[in-house]
Amino acid sequence: TQLLEQSPQFLSIQEGENLTVYCNSSSVFSSLQWYRQEPGEGPVLLVTVVTGGEVKKLKRLTFQFGDARKDSSLHITAAQPGDTGLYLCAGRSYNTDKLIFGTGTRLQVFP
Amino acid sequence: KAGVTQTPRYLIKTRGQQVTLSCSPISGHRSVSWYQQTPGQGLQFLFEYFSETQRNKGNFPGRFSGRQFSNSRSEMNVSTLELGDSALYLCASSFGLAGPTQYFGPGTRLTVT
């Protein structure tokens, strides 16, 4: 069974702090996506990375896909209360084409 | 462009009943995938439809089924509901089969009592 482990599971920080969320697997993925989900809503796509070593920036968010396409990280600079939510990584399996979701990181940013 | 829409948004059913959920993908998208999200198991893949054919399936019992229509709209059916089927059911659409970018709907919150 393919697994995508995210760490940390929970993160509670003050506004203005920086943070990094990790998404790790022993499997290789053809692409990887990051989503943010708010209570009672569906996940909203933040970014898709497809090339090993790729780095994408979205304002204060920086996403990196590992060289071996097995892991990814999300770094948020100067976090704001609006960043609060559940962050999910999801990898497209090379073998099965299924989208495998990570275990999730719940972020709370306090003003 | 309108996003993915799901109906109904909330549903309460009794154990043993059956339920049908509906999903309308983004215009032009031909692939629709369904997921179940629970606090304990997280987001789990149910199945993916493309051009009215099921192309991929997750590890769920046969009580979970779906179909896709010629206009790419999709329905998911769960028969003989169990308490453990209470979850947020999410639909996602993409342009192609197993597309690298999926867009999710708001979900249907199903509660089984």
Side-chain angles (χ1 to χ4, degrees):
Chain A
T1 302
Q2 292 177 292
L3 291 173
L4 263 174
E5 297 287 341
Q6 285 184 239
S7 61
Q9 188 177 359
F10 299 98
L11 199 51
S12 183
I13 61 173
Q14 292 293 128
E15 182 176 3
E17 291 185 30
N18 301 332
L19 66 115
T20 302
V21 178
Y22 299 94
C23 175
N24 295 297
S25 176
S26 57
S27 303
V28 178
F29 296 101
S30 57
S31 66
L32 193 134
Q33 301 169 27
W34 283 93
Y35 293 86
R36 182 173 70 214
Q37 185 178 23
E38 300 192 21
E41 298 296 328
V44 174
L45 180 68
L46 297 174
V47 77
T48 299
V49 285
V50 295
T51 306
E54 183 176 1
V55 176
K56 278 193 176 179
K57 292 192 176 183
L58 184 65
K59 296 183 181 178
R60 295 177 293 101
L61 279 60
T62 302
F63 305 87
Q64 184 163 7
F65 199 12
D67 290 341
R69 304 164 76 126
K70 294 181 179 180
D71 54 83
S72 181
S73 64
L74 157 61
H75 182 80
I76 300 179
T77 303
Q80 298 177 1
D83 295 326
T84 293
L86 177 67
Y87 287 82
L88 295 160
C89 64
R92 177 71 71 178
S93 167
Y94 258 124
N95 298 328
T96 66
D97 267 346
K98 294 176 185 177
L99 194 63
I100 311 297
F101 274 84
T103 48
T105 296
R106 193 164 296 281
L107 171 66
Q108 177 79 52
V109 182
F110 291 97
Chain B
K1 186 184 279 189
V4 178
T5 57
Q6 292 186 245
T7 56
R9 289 293 310 275
Y10 303 92
L11 206 49
I12 299 175
K13 289 286 187 179
T14 304
R15 194 170 43 183
Q17 289 186 313
Q18 75 165 9
V19 67
T20 299
L21 311 180
S22 181
C23 171
S24 293
I26 291 172
S27 179
H29 284 192
R30 296 170 60 193
S31 172
V32 172
S33 297
W34 287 90
Y35 297 85
Q36 181 196 66
Q37 186 175 31
T38 59
Q41 299 298 318
L43 253 162
Q44 292 189 291
F45 171 74
L46 280 157
F47 28 65
E48 179 175 14
Y49 284 86
F50 182 83
S51 292
E52 303 177 62
T53 304
Q54 188 181 92
R55 302 303 181 121
N56 216 335
K57 190 177 188 305
N59 300 320
F60 279 81
R63 299 185 297 107
F64 292 82
S65 64
R67 60 178 175 168
Q68 186 180 34
F69 302 95
S70 58
N71 61 358
S72 295
R73 189 177 70 84
S74 178
E75 288 183 348
M76 191 194 92
N77 183 275
V78 187
S79 62
T80 320
L81 284 166
E82 301 177 359
L83 295 178
D85 296 334
S86 293
L88 181 67
Y89 288 89
L90 294 159
C91 159
S93 77
S94 61
F95 180 74
L97 177 63
T101 301
Q102 290 199 330
Y103 297 90
F104 281 82
T108 294
R109 171 72 64 186
L110 172 65
T111 301
V112 182
T113 61

